Amino acid sequence: MTDFFKKKRTIVFLVLCGLIIIVLLAAYLRLALQPVPQKAKNPPVIERGSIVDRSGFPLAVQTNFYRIGLSSKDVKDEKAKEFSKVMAYYFGLTETELFEKINKKREYVTLKKKASQSEYEIIYDEAKKHGFNFLNYEKLPGRIYPNNSLASHLIGYMGDEGYGLAGIEFSQQDILSPEIDEQLETAEQGKNVYLSIDANLQYKLEQIAAKTMESTQAENMMLLAVDSTNGEILSYISLPSVNLNEYGSTPEEYKKNRPINDSYEPGSVFKIFTLGIVYDHRGISPNDNFLCDGAYEHKLSSGETIRIKCLEKHGWLTPRDALKYSCNDVFGQISDQISEEEFITRIKQLGFGERTGIQLSGETPGKVKGTDDKYWSARSKPTIAIGQEISVSALQMVQAATAIANGGVPLKLSVIRKITNKDGSVFYEHRPEYKERVFNKSTADYVLSCMETTAKTGTGSRANIGDVSIGVKTGTAQMADKINGGYSDTDFLSSCIAIFPVDNPQIILYIVVQKAKGETYGGRIVAPVIAEAADTIIDYMGMSRGGASSLEHNGVITIPYTKEIKIGTELPDFTGYSKKELLPLAERTDSTIKLNINGSGWVISQNPEPGSPVTENMIIELYLE
């Protein structure tokens, strides 16, 4: 040992050790002087806002789904057979189907695209019990539509990737689910959108619309109910509709949002606007008389004669009578009392030929021909006056009608009542947006009184409801033959528009039935539907009826005592419970379940659904508004 530790050898050893220490100190010093790297942050979670009706009733709420799959190369052959035998039932497959699916040795196999919370828990527990640790679970943002097809075209649909694909879900994507702003310390959460519709009224009117579709064997129909005092749409119906929880498997034709996408010739309903335009222009007066001999005829300087048929020979008629009997001949003569340029200008002032700007995407502007249009002819003006050679949308029709209901001043339409932040504070609230005056008040009052006459004794008499004054106009239009050109002999668009009460207009109701079988005249098939729908609206909104009795209430409301929430073998229905009532259950330490309470107020939905079997360590998501 003494021979080993020679002086020279020891010096070399110590020098090497010193050099190693210097290198280590230099490396340490370099690391010490470097800035501390920021710890990678998990991407912030943004909760998508809810879509609710005007009173807060839930129409679309956030939830979670799970995409369950596996990498088939991770599954050994002996495990594949056992896995297929045990798990096939939970994936809705036979044992053979599941084995073939995972035995193709593909990189990744998706076994369930959208598993609910309860389905995920059952599959997870079963897989864990049998040691199937090769399953992957990807948590996905999801959407539950508690009312299935109710107002489906207005609400729209959110796809699997968290982006809206239609309706409000699409048009308000940035409001419902804001993009992540890296500059903000806390991610901005989605806002809640309160629609202008009333869910209960929507349901009642959808029942009437569905019954109409069945009785007329129509191909499709639309129904819009609008508050004429502020422009808010109270009911928005397009049939056939789509179950939003089965959106992907629904035919494309059912997904079409007709009130905003469809443009069509409105037919005789358009005569109310012709009457208003020419009367406001002072081209006619209430006492003027026009002779209907069965057809409107106008001879041109070239010698050509324009001829438009009328259904009957009505004889001498005032403008009021012309609307009452929907006389094509007299309305052709009324159109002669105004120039082409002035007539078209006034039509555009009513909003035809341009989008209403409502909070939905894909809106059609319709089509209003100008006098310089290559398809304009000498017969265009009288033809447009009776609702042909012009293309409109249902939204344009009700927006133009607000001018009649509102004393000559149209209102911009809205399907959104308000938008709130997650804490309930108001981010946006709809206020009536008045457009430029298009009629004098006397003109609007005159047209409305003529519509009331039409409801009492004219073509719209089947829409008369007796104890509430109502003004209506019906229409029947031949639809274009898209195959052979011209107009179809079998396809008709039947419609009716109503404004009520006449003495204090509050509601505009517009119904369009397309391609009904058998009877097609709007006065016969749509006017009765107007009466039924108007009755429903009047009763639901508590509007005053003639001869209605009054009830008194002492003002005392008794709130029943809420019983303690008990959880047995099945999950109870938490809907309607307040956050305060849930707290004792959430704070229990002996419970085998976990409550995740989202929001504040009262429970509007839950996941898993009521009646689901209670399992150990179950997680229950509750959504409150």
Side-chain angles (χ1 to χ4, degrees):
M1 288 293 292
T2 305
D3 291 340
F4 179 79
F5 289 105
K6 300 285 185 180
K7 184 178 180 180
K8 185 177 180 180
R9 187 177 291 175
T10 302
I11 292 172
V12 172
F13 175 74
L14 292 175
V15 169
L16 289 173
C17 289
L19 290 172
I20 292 171
I21 292 171
I22 291 170
V23 171
L24 290 173
L25 287 173
Y28 176 79
L29 183 62
R30 186 176 66 254
L31 290 172
L33 293 175
Q34 287 181 350
V36 178
Q38 293 292 323
K39 186 178 179 181
K41 295 180 179 179
N42 292 325
V45 177
I46 295 179
E47 184 180 345
R48 190 178 182 87
S50 297
I51 300 175
V52 299
D53 83 336
R54 63 188 297 110
S55 62
F57 185 81
L59 301 173
V61 293
Q62 181 75 354
T63 187
N64 291 315
F65 291 109
Y66 295 84
R67 184 183 291 141
I68 304 174
L70 53 81
S71 179
S72 55
K73 63 183 181 181
D74 294 338
V75 186
K76 305 299 181 185
D77 290 341
E78 62 275 9
K79 272 288 185 184
K81 291 184 178 179
E82 182 188 356
F83 177 79
S84 301
K85 183 177 181 180
V86 173
M87 302 299 294
Y89 169 78
Y90 301 105
F91 294 111
L93 301 169
T94 65
E95 182 179 338
T96 303
E97 288 171 339
L98 182 56
F99 181 77
E100 289 177 353
K101 198 175 182 74
I102 66 175
N103 203 41
K104 292 180 179 179
K105 300 304 177 186
R106 291 180 292 182
E107 283 297 314
Y108 192 82
V109 179
T110 300
L111 300 176
K112 204 166 187 67
K113 288 184 177 181
K114 290 177 68 174
S116 66
Q117 180 72 32
S118 58
E119 289 173 328
Y120 156 74
E121 290 174 357
I122 292 170
I123 291 172
Y124 178 84
D125 290 342
E126 197 67 23
K128 184 178 179 182
K129 183 169 70 176
H130 290 85
F132 302 141
N133 55 6
F134 41 75
L135 277 177
N136 295 317
Y137 308 92
E138 182 184 359
K139 194 173 183 179
L140 302 171
R143 210 62 156 160
I144 289 178
Y145 299 97
N147 307 288
N148 296 322
S149 62
L150 187 79
S152 58
H153 295 92
L154 175 58
I155 296 166
Y157 177 74
M158 188 194 81
D160 293 343
E161 303 305 318
Y163 293 95
L165 301 179
I168 288 293
E169 291 276 34
F170 176 79
S171 68
Q172 303 300 306
Q173 169 67 28
D174 292 341
I175 292 291
L176 293 164
S177 185
E179 290 289 335
I180 297 173
D181 188 343
E182 302 292 346
Q183 304 300 319
L184 297 176
E185 292 185 6
T186 304
E188 180 185 1
Q189 295 300 303
K191 297 175 175 60
N192 299 321
V193 175
Y194 284 70
L195 300 181
S196 59
I197 66 167
D198 183 292
N200 289 326
L201 181 61
Q202 176 81 15
Y203 174 76
K204 291 174 182 291
L205 295 180
E206 281 192 11
Q207 296 295 103
I208 293 172
K211 186 172 63 175
T212 302
M213 283 276 285
E214 183 178 356
S215 63
T216 62
Q217 299 181 58
E219 189 171 290
N220 56 74
M221 73 171 289
M222 299 175 275
L223 187 155
L224 295 174
V226 180
D227 185 334
S228 62
T229 66
N230 58 22
E232 291 181 358
I233 293 181
L234 302 176
S235 183
Y236 186 105
I237 297 173
S238 178
L239 295 181
S241 59
V242 51
N243 184 338
L244 294 176
N245 294 305
E246 299 173 0
Y247 191 85
S249 59
T250 304
E252 288 300 316
E253 184 68 14
Y254 283 44
K255 299 176 184 178
K256 191 170 185 182
N257 189 346
R258 299 185 184 280
I260 200 161
N261 296 148
D262 274 9
S263 61
Y264 53 89
E265 292 185 348
S268 293
V269 171
F270 195 79
K271 290 172 182 173
I272 61 175
F273 304 119
T274 300
L275 180 64
I277 288 170
V278 182
Y279 185 90
D280 200 71
H281 183 65
R282 300 190 179 182
I284 56 172
S285 66
N287 296 321
D288 287 344
N289 277 279
F290 300 88
L291 176 63
C292 169
D293 58 5
Y296 165 80
E297 291 186 351
H298 182 74
K299 194 168 185 177
L300 304 178
S301 57
S302 62
E304 179 188 356
T305 299
I306 297 168
R307 195 169 192 273
I308 298 175
K309 289 184 180 180
C310 193
L311 291 176
E312 295 181 33
K313 293 182 179 181
H314 294 108
W316 289 97
L317 299 176
T318 64
R320 180 184 297 272
D321 293 331
L323 193 73
K324 171 182 172 179
Y325 296 117
S326 196
C327 178
N328 289 342
D329 184 354
V330 171
F331 267 91
Q333 296 177 58
I334 287 174
S335 73
D336 287 337
Q337 312 308 310
I338 190 171
S339 70
E340 294 176 338
E341 291 78 8
E342 179 68 15
F343 188 49
I344 294 302
T345 298
R346 289 289 196 115
I347 287 174
K348 290 182 177 180
Q349 286 174 352
L350 281 164
F352 295 107
E354 64 180 27
R355 297 174 179 86
T356 65
I358 203 166
Q359 305 98 331
L360 290 167
S361 61
E363 183 177 8
T364 176
K367 175 70 173 176
V368 178
K369 290 191 296 190
T371 55
D372 57 349
D373 191 286
K374 66 178 180 179
Y375 294 111
W376 183 270
S377 69
R379 66 179 293 123
S380 292
K381 185 176 60 166
T383 305
I384 292 172
I386 63 173
Q388 295 178 343
E389 282 195 45
I390 183 172
S391 177
V392 305
S393 72
L395 290 171
Q396 288 173 340
M397 290 293 286
V398 293
Q399 181 167 275
T402 62
I404 298 172
N406 199 41
V409 181
L411 278 160
K412 185 175 180 180
L413 300 179
S414 177
V415 289
I416 294 178
R417 189 186 185 202
K418 66 178 179 179
I419 298 173
T420 64
N421 297 306
K422 279 298 177 184
D423 61 4
S425 60
V426 176
F427 172 78
Y428 160 82
E429 190 162 13
H430 174 253
R431 293 283 185 269
E433 188 174 334
Y434 298 96
K435 302 167 79 70
E436 290 187 9
R437 177 177 289 278
V438 294
F439 294 141
N440 291 311
K441 187 177 186 305
S442 59
T443 299
D445 292 343
Y446 172 70
V447 174
L448 194 51
S449 71
C450 292
M451 292 175 67
E452 184 178 19
T453 300
T454 303
K456 287 180 177 179
T457 58
T459 57
S461 59
R462 296 190 182 191
N464 194 18
I465 49 180
D467 56 357
V468 174
S469 57
I470 185 170
V472 304
K473 182 67 191 83
T474 61
T476 307
Q478 282 181 284
M479 299 182 70
D481 187 335
K482 296 180 179 179
I483 298 175
N484 303 312
Y487 288 97
S488 170
D489 293 326
T490 57
D491 296 339
F492 292 86
L493 183 143
S494 312
S495 62
C496 187
I497 196 164
I499 300 174
F500 59 91
V502 169
D503 53 349
N504 181 27
Q506 297 178 48
I507 302 294
I508 298 169
L509 184 58
Y510 183 50
I511 300 177
V512 179
V513 175
Q514 296 192 48
K515 298 185 181 181
K517 304 293 188 297
E519 182 61 74
T520 57
Y521 282 107
R524 295 173 187 168
I525 67 170
V526 185
V529 184
I530 284 281
E532 185 179 1
D535 261 330
T536 299
I537 293 169
I538 290 165
D539 288 341
Y540 183 78
M541 297 182 67
M543 295 167 67
S544 176
R545 286 183 178 274
S549 58
S550 301
L551 295 176
E552 291 186 358
H553 192 277
N554 61 11
V556 178
I557 300 174
T558 304
I559 301 175
Y561 171 73
T562 304
K563 295 181 180 180
E564 179 186 358
I565 306 172
K566 293 183 179 180
I567 298 181
T569 57
E570 292 185 353
L571 207 58
D573 187 350
F574 291 97
T575 305
Y577 281 95
S578 68
K579 191 171 186 177
K580 183 177 180 180
E581 292 168 330
L582 294 169
L583 288 178
L585 183 62
E587 293 171 354
R588 281 174 51 183
T589 57
D590 60 331
S591 178
T592 59
I593 65 170
K594 180 183 177 183
L595 287 185
N596 285 345
I597 301 176
N598 303 285
S600 58
W602 288 265
V603 178
I604 59 171
S605 66
Q606 68 184 72
N607 191 22
E609 297 178 353
S612 300
V614 175
T615 57
E616 189 174 354
N617 298 320
M618 172 183 275
I619 299 175
I620 304 171
E621 298 281 352
L622 300 178
Y623 301 92
L624 284 67
E625 287 283 356

